[in-house]
């Protein structure tokens, strides 16, 4: 023990602090899955991963394009002649064709309402790296950003760990479907002021993770007005922009500011291909800022997290194929809509409702009626039963800093139809067992006893 303490003293504060936030149940659920992963034949009683927001519904389209365009890869007979040119040193500005393709794709995702400038496209190692890069550019250790809750759990790591920044939650609630209001922003800002915390900006996710909703034009304009009046920054994480499957459509902040009198130097966008294209392994993150100094600084910082030249080369070709992009976006939206419809209907069949969503790879599931008590402790007790006994890795609302216990994020796009049905069957049995108070099986499982107890306490 003494050796461990002495060893920690030899390391930096970054190496020894707990600011990554990985003691959250959000990450604990992942560990439960990793130690006992579900497989339909090899481990049918394992934990089903419903905590991973990943789009695996359109890989057949990607595979078809790759087979049709072998020259896009330098590791094929058709593309190997480009191997030397692509594999040698690349400037951190990124390949011109890649930046142009990404800028055009971002415009297409926004309904071609905005033209993005390729010269403002800055690469980073996924959205994680992009968000951190923006924080390094905008704020100093001890400064803070307002973040509407519920918000992505890993923001605690991405925004705070190495930067030394703080997060001030902006509490939103279910009474208005967790809408971000001017009053809530003002309250959070004033609370920070009273604590002598220097607020440097607001960061939002649009579409929202975990809500699965898009921000309306009125809310977006209100946000821009708020930050403009306070002279602080607005960072919009738009990594689910093309994962919208029903109305209303996605509206980028870049579109909003076109007809507003505001300081554009305060507006910044983070994008990625991890969610919309299903390429998290490619680590393609994008910083797009209207501030020249931020673009300049972020580009220099991108040396610490560049996208590989091989990846740039492949994606430049893929995203420049307008016919493919149009078909992919259309088909992805349709498949997400179908999966969302099947999943939420399955939940409704057993009495579980979700916040009405139109975007993202997940649903915001209302499990409040199942809580033993309407507290975080009650939520965590239910979560442990679901993860450890029902064997579903869902993420509790408290890990998203939700102000109301009983909400859970459940992902539905990272599995095939068969596993969706198995997951829904497990949820159905879980809920129905709690209602069957008069039917006692001979050897009830532990989770069945616990659920029966929870229902009895609720009545």
């Amino acid at each position: 023990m003494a050796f461990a303490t002495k060893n920690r003293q030899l390391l930096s504060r970054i190496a020894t602090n707990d600011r990554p936030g990985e003691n959250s149940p959000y990450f604990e659920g992942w560990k439960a899955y990793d130690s006992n992963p579900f497989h339909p034949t090899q481990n049918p009683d394992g934990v089903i991963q419903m905590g991973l927001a990943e789009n695996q519904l359109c890989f057949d389209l990607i595979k078809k394009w790759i087979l049709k365009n072998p020259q896009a890869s330098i590791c094929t007979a058709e593309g190997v002649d480009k191997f030397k040119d692509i594999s040698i040193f690349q400037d951190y500005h990124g390949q011109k064709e890649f930046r142009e393709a990404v800028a055009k794709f971002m415009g297409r995702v926004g309904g071609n309402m905005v033209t993005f400038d390729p010269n403002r496209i800055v690469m980073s190692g996924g959205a994680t790296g992009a968000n951190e890069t923006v924080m390094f550019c905008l704020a100093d250790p001890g400064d803070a950003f307002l973040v509407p809750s519920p918000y992505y759990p890993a923001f605690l790591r991405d925004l705070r760990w190495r930067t030394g920044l703080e997060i001030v939650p902006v509490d939103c609630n279910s009474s208005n479907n967790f809408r971000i209001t001017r009053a809530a922003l003002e309250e959070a800002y004033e609370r920070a002021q009273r604590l002598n915390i220097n607020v440097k900006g607001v960061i939002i996710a649009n579409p929202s993770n975990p809500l699965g909703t898009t921000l309306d034009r009125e809310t977006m304009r209100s946000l821009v007005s708020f930050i403009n009046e306070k002279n602080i920054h607005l960072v919009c994480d738009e990594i689910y922009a093309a994962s919208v499957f029903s109305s209303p459509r996605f509206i980028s902040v870049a579109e909003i500011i076109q007809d507003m009198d505001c300081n554009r130097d305060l507006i910044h966008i983070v994008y990625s291909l991890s969610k919309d294209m299903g390429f998290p392994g490619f680590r393609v993150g994008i910083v797009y800022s209207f501030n020249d100094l931020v673009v300049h600084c972020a580009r220099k910082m991108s040396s610490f997290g560049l996208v590989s030249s091989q990846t740039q080369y492949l994606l430049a070709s893929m995203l420049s194929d307008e016919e493919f992009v149009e078909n992919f976006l259309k088909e992805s939206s349709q498949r997400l809509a179908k999966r969302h419809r099947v999943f939420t209907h399955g939940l409704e069949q057993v009495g579980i409702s979700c916040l009405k969503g139109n975007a993202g790879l997940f649903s915001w599931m209302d499990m409040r009626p199942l809580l033993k008590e309407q507290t975080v402790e009650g939520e965590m007790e239910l979560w442990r039963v679901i993860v450890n006994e029902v064997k579903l890795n869902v993420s509790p609302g408290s890990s998203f800093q939700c102000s109301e216990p009983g909400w859970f994020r459940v992902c539905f796009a990272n599995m095939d139809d068969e596993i969706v049905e198995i997951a829904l069957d497990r949820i159905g049995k879980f809920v129905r067992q709690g209602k069957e108070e008069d039917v006692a099986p001979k050897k009830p499982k532990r989770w069945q006893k616990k659920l029966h107890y929870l229902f009895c306490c609720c009545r």
Side-chain angles (χ1 to χ4, degrees), residues 203-365:
I203 181 168
I204 62 168
N206 180 36
S208 169
N209 175 10
L211 301 179
T213 57
T214 50
L215 294 181
D216 60 83
R217 187 176 297 274
E218 179 185 350
T219 300
M220 291 291 293
R221 290 181 65 89
S222 176
L223 278 162
V224 173
S225 295
F226 174 79
I227 64 99
N228 199 59
E229 290 173 17
K230 305 295 185 186
N231 196 33
I232 59 178
H233 297 276
L234 176 61
V235 180
C236 295
D237 184 328
E238 300 185 348
I239 68 171
Y240 291 97
S243 299
V244 178
F245 47 81
S246 65
S247 60
R249 72 175 181 87
F250 164 73
I251 305 174
S252 172
V253 68
E255 177 182 343
I256 292 295
I257 64 174
Q258 287 185 131
D259 61 352
M260 289 189 69
D261 182 16
C262 64
N263 182 359
R264 296 192 176 194
D265 281 348
L266 300 175
I267 308 297
H268 322 276
I269 296 171
V270 168
Y271 189 59
S272 171
L273 297 179
S274 296
K275 307 302 182 181
D276 290 343
M277 296 293 293
F279 294 159
F282 280 6
R283 308 310 302 149
V284 178
I286 300 297
V287 173
Y288 189 95
S289 177
F290 291 89
N291 187 314
D292 292 342
L293 292 176
V294 170
V295 171
H296 183 64
C297 179
R299 183 156 286 140
K300 289 187 290 186
M301 296 182 96
S302 69
S303 293
F304 297 100
L306 289 174
V307 179
S308 76
S309 55
Q310 180 180 353
T311 299
Q312 291 183 57
Y313 184 72
L314 171 68
L315 293 178
S317 180
M318 182 181 292
L319 298 182
S320 296
D321 187 334
E322 294 187 15
E323 182 179 354
F324 166 77
V325 169
E326 181 177 359
N327 180 63
F328 179 90
L329 293 177
K330 179 181 178 181
E331 189 66 25
S332 176
S333 178
Q334 291 176 348
R335 294 183 187 186
L336 282 172
K338 180 180 179 181
R339 176 60 61 83
H340 177 266
R341 183 170 59 252
V342 168
F343 191 77
T344 53
H345 178 71
L347 294 176
E348 290 170 1
Q349 293 292 87
V350 293
I352 296 177
S353 63
C354 295
L355 182 73
K356 184 178 180 181
N358 68 313
L361 313 174
F362 32 73
S363 289
W364 191 232
M365 187 168 61

Side-chain angles (χ1 to χ4, degrees), residues 14 16 35 43 62 111-112 136 140 201 235 257 292 410:
I14 288 180
T16 55
S35 64
N43 190 23
I62 301 295
N112 293 317
F136 272 125
D140 295 310
V235 180
I257 64 174
D292 292 342
V410 55

